[in-house]
Amino acid sequence: MIVAIGDLHGRHDILEAIVAHHPSDTHFVFLGDVIDRGPQNRLAMKTVLDLHAQGRATVIRGNHEEMALMPYRHYQSHLSSKSMRDYQKAFESFRHWREAGGETVIREYERFTIEKYPEDLLGYLQLGRIAMFVGPEGITDHPQQGSVLLSHAAPPHARGDHSPEDVALWVRPYEGPFPLPDGVIMSIHGHTPTLEPVMFGKHLFIDTGGYNTGRICTVRLDGFDPQNPELTVFQGAMRKTGKLHQFGRPMRYQTVRV
């Protein structure tokens, strides 16, 4: 069984329930934004790392992982170039990440700096892939006939001044439509929170605002039926509704109480 999981944002309590709900040989695909904003970022990362070590997890990079990596990249550039501009970029991006939700991660480590990132955090951040496919051959880096594309925000493709990687990490659904590679029947994404999973064109969005709503959506990928995808929303404790987007066609799903 292969199951994709929407944005967790530190909701380890719900991740635990999702893993326990599925057979022990299930392979999980994390659609990014496992960290930031929520209450249990380190535990969520540890579970993902443990599953990956067991060969049971594939990790897609979200924009929050990208924001967490940027200060580290700039600081490493500074060490090579000795440029103070690179050092300044590291500080600026570290501040931006903190303000966008990274403060919850930094606080769990009792603070750290751009000069010394925690090893487990780096280990998790460097797992992320920009996109992948699931089809008759299983999980691959290339499209297959009848396969599904998975990335964080949107299908990766060049768009104006934006690189395919930028589009995959950052854009919103209403900036589409988005082209799909030959043979790909649908794409699945997180990034844009809605109260329930929605279909928008040939794109399925399953970020259900979990760190506030307590709702984390999963979709089964093996034997995927684009007309009737197997969607489950795991409902945990709700903090508040938060900012949710409204677009697309709501999809049917089953609910599991956590």
Side-chain angles (χ1 to χ4, degrees):
M1 183 182 292
I2 305 173
V3 172
I5 302 177
D7 304 31
L8 284 164
H9 281 299
R11 290 303 300 259
H12 180 258
D13 55 331
I14 303 173
L15 175 57
E16 271 193 315
I18 292 171
V19 173
H21 180 82
H22 290 90
S24 60
D25 60 348
T26 302
H27 189 96
F28 297 101
V29 178
F30 292 89
L31 286 177
D33 288 7
V34 168
I35 59 168
D36 289 0
R37 296 179 176 163
Q40 297 172 304
N41 300 283
R42 291 188 71 179
L43 283 173
M45 285 191 297
K46 183 179 186 307
T47 295
V48 173
L49 286 166
D50 289 346
L51 288 168
H52 185 267
Q54 298 165 25
R56 295 185 56 203
T58 299
V59 182
I60 290 171
R61 186 184 307 160
N63 65 306
H64 281 263
E65 283 85 10
E66 179 69 8
M67 285 188 286
L69 271 171
M70 286 176 70
Y72 175 77
R73 290 195 195 113
H74 287 309
Y75 182 68
Q76 295 304 306
S77 293
H78 162 72
L79 292 179
S80 299
S81 68
K82 307 304 180 186
S83 165
M84 290 309 295
R85 180 56 185 149
D86 286 334
Y87 203 32
Q88 184 181 5
K89 286 179 180 178
F91 273 108
E92 290 171 350
S93 55
F94 195 66
R95 184 186 71 246
H96 177 68
W97 173 45
R98 267 200 332 262
E99 294 172 351
E103 179 63 32
T104 60
V105 177
I106 297 165
R107 192 164 53 238
E108 285 186 43
Y109 283 97
E110 299 180 354
R111 307 291 171 183
F112 61 87
T113 68
I114 56 172
E115 290 86 357
K116 190 171 177 58
Y117 260 49
E119 289 186 11
D120 59 332
L121 175 60
L122 273 179
Y124 163 68
L125 294 174
Q126 292 171 342
L127 286 181
R129 300 158 63 167
I130 295 302
M132 48 157 287
F133 302 86
V134 177
E137 301 173 30
I139 297 173
T140 64
D141 291 319
H142 59 271
Q144 314 158 40
Q145 191 63 41
S147 64
V148 176
L149 181 155
L150 296 103
S151 60
H152 179 62
H157 67 286
R159 190 179 189 84
D161 294 333
H162 301 295
S163 69
E165 182 172 305
D166 285 341
V167 171
L169 289 169
W170 294 100
V171 305
R172 296 296 183 186
Y174 18 83
E175 296 178 62
F178 307 111
L180 295 174
D182 291 344
V184 174
I185 56 175
M186 186 178 289
S187 65
I188 302 175
H189 312 282
H191 186 54
T192 301
T194 59
L195 186 61
E196 54 194 351
V198 297
M199 187 73 72
F200 196 57
K202 292 185 178 181
H203 317 295
L204 176 62
F205 292 86
I206 66 167
D207 176 7
T208 41
Y211 79 99
N212 276 327
T213 66
R215 296 162 62 82
I216 304 292
C217 184
T218 66
V219 55
R220 184 169 178 177
L221 299 174
D222 55 303
F224 183 82
D225 179 358
Q227 302 303 317
N228 188 31
E230 188 176 321
L231 296 160
T232 304
V233 171
F234 290 78
Q235 178 68 68
M238 183 178 73
R239 298 171 64 237
K240 57 183 179 180
T241 301
K243 180 182 177 182
L244 300 173
H245 297 252
Q246 294 185 345
F247 65 94
R249 174 169 57 91
M251 300 295 290
R252 289 189 301 173
Y253 59 89
Q254 61 177 330
T255 299
V256 173
R257 300 286 173 181
V258 176

